[in-house]
Amino acid sequence: MLVALLLLFSFMFTMEQESTPGLRDNLSGLALFALVLGIGAALCALAVAARGSEVLQVTAGLVCGLLLLAAAYRAYTLAPMLKCWSSNSTARGQDGSYTCFDR
């Protein structure tokens, strides 16, 4: 549950920035932090489930596998924004590229 919540936060931090063109606050650092915490929590959940029953191992493997796929997609969509790590604003162009700005 924690992993899904962290991944949701990672998507929510940059949802407006990814959906509409224009100048927006750069929240890619927060999104990356939530993503890394979510991946760490998923790996910890898999490690804990490895000591449980076979049913628990299979269930946790499937759920964490799906969540890790979502995390991989999130990393793919977040990567272009990370070039603006040190800027406080970014603008998304019509072609999907990001330009860094400091207000």
Side-chain angles (χ1 to χ4, degrees), residues 4-79:
L5 189 61
L6 286 169
L7 289 178
L8 179 67
F9 283 152
S10 179
F11 279 104
M12 285 176 41
F13 283 134
T14 59
M15 185 182 302
E16 182 183 16
Q17 186 175 5
E18 292 176 29
S19 61
T20 57
L23 192 62
R24 305 278 186 250
D25 290 335
N26 186 8
L27 299 176
S28 61
L30 290 173
L32 180 65
F33 182 68
L35 178 65
V36 169
L37 283 178
I39 291 171
L43 295 176
C44 288
L46 284 173
V48 168
R51 296 178 181 254
S53 67
E54 188 174 322
V55 173
L56 178 64
Q57 290 175 1
V58 170
T59 305
L62 288 173
V63 171
C64 288
L66 289 174
L67 289 171
L68 287 174
L69 280 174
Y73 175 73
R74 179 62 189 145
Y76 174 75
T77 59
L78 186 61

